[in-house]
Amino acid sequence: MRIISLKAIYVIVLREFKRFFRQRGRLMGTVARPLLWLLIIGSGFTELIRVRGEISYQQFMVPGVIGMTILFSSIFSTISVVWDKEFGFLREMLVAPVSRLTIVLGKLISGSMLSTFQGMILIVLAPFFGISLSLFKFTEMVFLLLIVSFGITSLGLFIASFLTSLEGFNVIMNFLVLPMFFLSGALYPIKVLPSLLQYLTSINPLTYGIDSFKHVMLGDIPGTVLGTDFSFSMDIAFVLAFSVIMTILTSLSFERRD
Amino acid sequence: MIRVEGLVKKYNSITAVDGIDFNVEKGSFFGFLGPNGAGKTTTIGILCTLLKPTYGSAFVNGFNCYKEPKKVRSSIGLVFQEYTLDNELTAYENLMFHCYLYGMRKSTAVKRIDEILSVVELNDRKDDIVKKFSGGMKRRLEIARGLLHRPQVLFLDEPTLGLDPQTRIHIWDFINRLRMGENITVFLTTHYMDEAEGCDSVAIIDKGSIISFGSPDELKKELKGDTIYLKTADDSKARTVIQERFGITVNTIDTGLAIQVEGGEKFLPHLFNGFPVEIVSVNLKRPSLNDVFVSLTGREIREDGPGDTRVRRGGR
């Protein structure tokens, strides 16, 4: 008996894609929210914050806003698990002769692919904010988007496995997602934070994700205020390790039977 | 096909299922009857591997429901109490999702979906989003989906809950027709007594225990027979005559006389033979399963009335 059924993963992914593209509002929101951040907050702060000899604040924000998009869309995609629970569809999957890992992987892959897709839209728009990427760097970014999305989706899925109502999900959004965003180095360099907050950023997977985006999009400029905080390999190692641990925990959590 | 031994399920201090045993023969139609909250859905939950039994064991198709969940899952099809379709997908997409989840080849899937859609008469609606379907159509689609992978056992958990009477009849037409077509074991839970009349065997469950088991006819025989309603030209005289001749109690009711008797159809000729009073009308009423439930528990099975359309949303 196989542990993973590829056919089942395929059809779970297919379903999530169909649902995503049938909900027009979701796609619009995906593009609109990060653009609002970049255009309004980005241009406002660019005038306030000028670090001599460095990139503009708006340029600094681009990797952060891409990270924000990944964060919101990855967590939001895992809402489908809660949704499926509340509307019964999850049972259709749970009584099928496939392993829990298969279902978890299906949800993980669909969630990360959809997030990656949304992140890619922003990379395509990045030249308007003063960041142009070569084809090589673009490919590198797509790869990074995939692993960061995978990591965040696995976290979301782990949390969603414990929730039974959409109300509970909203609480998580406020108490986890927003702090994760604010403590990720998306809006300000983490070096300027007080040490307690710096500690919190250092256990946030999104911090490493955004740092890796900065490496590719802004170049390796350690030591400068708006530059990167960790080494590129450190970023990738943290995100990958986090993803693997979360995926295992999530499958175990789905395996529980009351 | 299904074997349950000493099954107990506790949720903290609440005992939902309190030591039940039963067997369901292959190919038979089994009815699990009881009021809401009696433990029916919990038992199904254990049989379909979603819940873990506290004590005892359950087997489906020879496989242990707790230890061999995957083998059990391949053997069963399920129609849950609540709707479990994806409302955003079309009917066809819902069925295709199911086929792929059960590892079917695309060619097989296409063929079977085509067959089953015509059985449940949803062929012309197959590309419509399920959101637009009525309750009855959704139920038909779910029954169709439950059969796609040719399961050995089909579980129907309150399949007509919340549907109007006409749709209920329609759904039952389908279920009966499907049973004719495929040699499949059907496990039905319901609190509609009339739906269980057609079962081969019935278990009546109340407060987590099985209080009666047998074919509907056997269960009814346990009741003290049938009721004969009699109206005559002179009821008081008729009453005295019957009591003297047969030594049985005759109750006087608004519309005439009521006689409790075993084997009513055999008793009637004896009663009429040389009866001295003119008989105006006679009515023989067989006991229903509802009467059985009332006599066993002293309550009606449906205390919440016929308008109950609540759909319970399960957790996991």
Side-chain angles (χ1 to χ4, degrees):
Chain A
M1 204 179 302
R2 283 173 305 162
I3 296 175
I4 296 170
S5 155
L6 292 179
K7 207 172 246 175
I9 292 179
Y10 164 75
V11 80
I12 293 171
V13 172
L14 185 68
R15 166 175 178 250
E16 297 293 338
F17 270 75
K18 281 185 171 162
R19 286 176 66 96
F20 181 82
F21 286 102
R22 275 173 202 178
Q23 297 169 337
R24 299 270 159 71
R26 232 172 120 185
L27 194 59
M28 300 271 286
T30 303
V31 184
R33 181 164 38 203
L35 288 184
L36 285 176
W37 275 89
L38 283 174
L39 288 173
I40 299 172
I41 300 187
S43 1
F45 278 96
T46 298
E47 295 310 312
L48 274 176
I49 306 160
R50 286 215 181 272
V51 182
R52 208 147 33 95
E54 289 194 28
I55 50 173
S56 78
Y57 182 72
Q58 201 174 35
Q59 282 172 311
F60 167 80
M61 258 184 95
V62 174
V65 167
I66 292 175
M68 175 191 81
T69 307
I70 298 287
L71 174 68
F72 279 90
S73 65
S74 296
I75 298 280
F76 194 80
S77 75
T78 62
I79 204 175
S80 78
V81 173
V82 184
W83 192 272
D84 284 349
K85 262 188 212 172
E86 193 152 339
F87 292 92
F89 194 79
L90 190 68
R91 290 180 147 208
E92 150 80 352
M93 286 186 260
L94 292 180
V95 294
V98 293
S99 64
R100 300 297 184 245
L101 184 64
T102 299
I103 297 172
V104 169
L105 283 177
K107 290 282 185 184
L108 268 176
I109 292 168
S110 55
S112 13
M113 280 172 72
L114 285 170
S115 290
T116 301
F117 168 75
Q118 295 170 62
M120 279 165 70
I121 296 178
L122 287 177
I123 301 178
V124 171
L125 296 173
F128 293 105
F129 302 96
I131 296 175
S132 339
L133 295 176
S134 63
L135 186 64
F136 174 72
K137 290 211 160 186
F138 183 84
T139 320
E140 214 176 352
M141 272 304 287
V142 172
F143 167 75
L144 290 175
L145 288 175
L146 265 174
I147 62 166
V148 176
S149 302
F150 197 87
I152 307 286
T153 311
S154 62
L155 171 69
L157 213 50
F158 179 65
I159 295 164
S161 71
F162 293 98
L163 300 176
T164 47
S165 73
L166 294 170
E167 287 82 10
F169 201 86
N170 284 332
V171 174
I172 298 295
M173 276 305 259
N174 291 323
F175 286 92
L176 183 85
V177 174
L178 288 178
M180 268 181 83
F181 172 47
F182 293 134
L183 294 171
S184 66
L187 299 177
Y188 24 75
I190 61 177
K191 331 177 171 56
V192 303
L193 293 172
S195 57
L196 172 70
L197 293 184
Q198 260 193 41
Y199 170 72
L200 290 174
T201 56
S202 71
I203 53 167
N204 179 358
L206 189 64
T207 307
Y208 298 89
I210 290 176
D211 200 60
S212 74
F213 300 161
K214 288 178 185 166
H215 273 284
V216 175
M217 299 190 87
L218 307 176
D220 293 314
I221 36 174
T224 54
V225 178
L226 296 180
T228 52
D229 295 293
F230 307 98
S231 73
F232 191 54
S233 46
M234 165 80 178
D235 290 336
I236 291 179
F238 190 96
V239 173
L240 285 180
F242 182 83
S243 310
V244 170
I245 293 168
M246 279 298 152
T247 308
I248 293 169
L249 289 178
T250 311
S251 320
L252 290 176
S253 163
F254 270 81
E255 205 73 58
R256 279 182 303 147
R257 275 186 274 171
D258 301 320
Chain B
M1 184 51 70
I2 302 174
R3 199 167 85 240
V4 170
E5 290 166 353
L7 197 65
V8 175
K9 176 67 185 173
K10 289 184 178 168
Y11 295 104
N12 300 321
S13 59
I14 302 155
T15 306
V17 172
D18 196 5
I20 59 172
D21 303 85
F22 61 85
N23 271 301
V24 178
E25 297 287 313
K26 188 173 161 62
S28 71
F29 184 11
F30 176 77
F32 207 40
L33 281 180
N36 284 336
K40 292 171 294 177
T41 299
T42 303
T43 308
I44 284 211
I46 293 169
L47 288 173
C48 72
T49 77
L50 289 179
L51 296 173
K52 175 181 158 188
T54 313
Y55 305 110
S57 43
F59 299 86
V60 171
N61 200 16
F63 303 117
N64 186 309
C65 295
Y66 182 60
K67 292 183 184 130
E68 301 163 290
K70 253 185 162 178
K71 287 178 181 163
V72 171
R73 287 180 202 147
S74 312
S75 320
I76 61 174
L78 268 144
V79 177
F80 291 105
Q81 216 173 83
E82 67 269 37
Y83 296 112
T84 59
L85 295 162
D86 186 337
N87 278 324
E88 306 280 333
L89 298 184
T90 66
Y92 193 85
E93 286 167 342
N94 266 292
L95 296 180
M96 197 45 114
F97 182 89
H98 186 89
C99 288
Y100 272 55
L101 207 56
Y102 282 73
M104 275 180 224
R105 290 161 156 275
K106 191 170 184 198
S107 54
T108 320
V110 170
K111 212 171 118 245
R112 287 205 193 155
I113 291 175
D114 213 47
E115 282 168 14
I116 205 87
L117 274 174
S118 53
V119 176
V120 296
E121 291 171 7
L122 285 171
N123 239 326
D124 51 335
R125 300 293 302 270
K126 67 178 202 277
D127 292 322
D128 286 355
I129 301 279
V130 169
K131 206 188 282 175
K132 295 180 190 156
F133 280 20
S134 68
M137 288 163 70
K138 283 187 188 174
R139 260 290 113 95
R140 265 144 63 199
L141 185 60
E142 287 189 322
I143 294 171
R145 184 179 67 180
L147 290 167
L148 272 176
H149 56 283
R150 306 251 159 99
Q152 307 268 330
V153 185
L154 180 67
F155 287 93
L156 300 169
D157 191 7
E158 304 268 3
T160 59
L161 189 73
L163 297 178
D164 59 77
Q166 214 180 337
T167 315
R168 275 180 62 196
I169 294 170
H170 201 46
I171 295 287
W172 274 105
D173 274 354
F174 282 115
I175 296 174
N176 290 329
R177 216 181 307 162
L178 289 170
R179 266 182 45 72
M180 303 292 176
E182 323 209 357
N183 181 28
I184 188 171
T185 312
V186 177
F187 186 107
L188 165 82
T189 78
T190 182
H191 63 270
Y192 295 109
M193 284 296 179
D194 54 328
E195 291 187 343
E197 298 278 352
C199 292
D200 299 318
S201 59
V202 164
I204 296 182
I205 182 169
D206 187 41
K207 293 173 183 158
S209 305
I210 290 180
I211 52 177
S212 196
F213 186 94
S215 72
D217 284 340
E218 282 164 5
L219 292 187
K220 287 178 210 163
K221 270 186 198 139
E222 284 177 22
L223 268 191
K224 197 89 181 95
D226 310 329
T227 310
I228 295 167
Y229 296 96
L230 195 65
K231 201 167 164 43
T232 61
D234 184 349
D235 279 346
S236 61
K237 188 181 171 195
R239 185 171 178 233
T240 326
V241 172
I242 297 166
Q243 281 181 342
E244 278 173 8
R245 270 201 200 170
F246 303 99
I248 51 174
T249 339
V250 179
N251 297 311
T252 311
I253 53 169
D254 293 348
T255 52
L257 301 173
I259 308 159
Q260 295 278 333
V261 68
E262 225 167 319
E265 74 275 25
K266 286 187 183 132
F267 178 74
L268 276 179
H270 294 292
L271 177 67
F272 294 157
N273 191 13
F275 199 66
V277 187
E278 189 195 340
I279 293 169
V280 180
S281 71
V282 64
N283 190 2
L284 173 70
K285 193 174 165 277
R286 297 223 165 269
S288 66
L289 282 173
N290 194 48
D291 298 327
V292 176
F293 188 81
V294 172
S295 80
L296 288 169
T297 64
R299 302 178 276 125
E300 290 275 335
I301 194 162
R302 305 188 58 216
E303 286 160 336
D304 39 26
D308 177 41
T309 54
R310 273 178 302 137
V311 174
R312 246 180 296 154
R313 281 180 181 168
R316 307 145 145 292

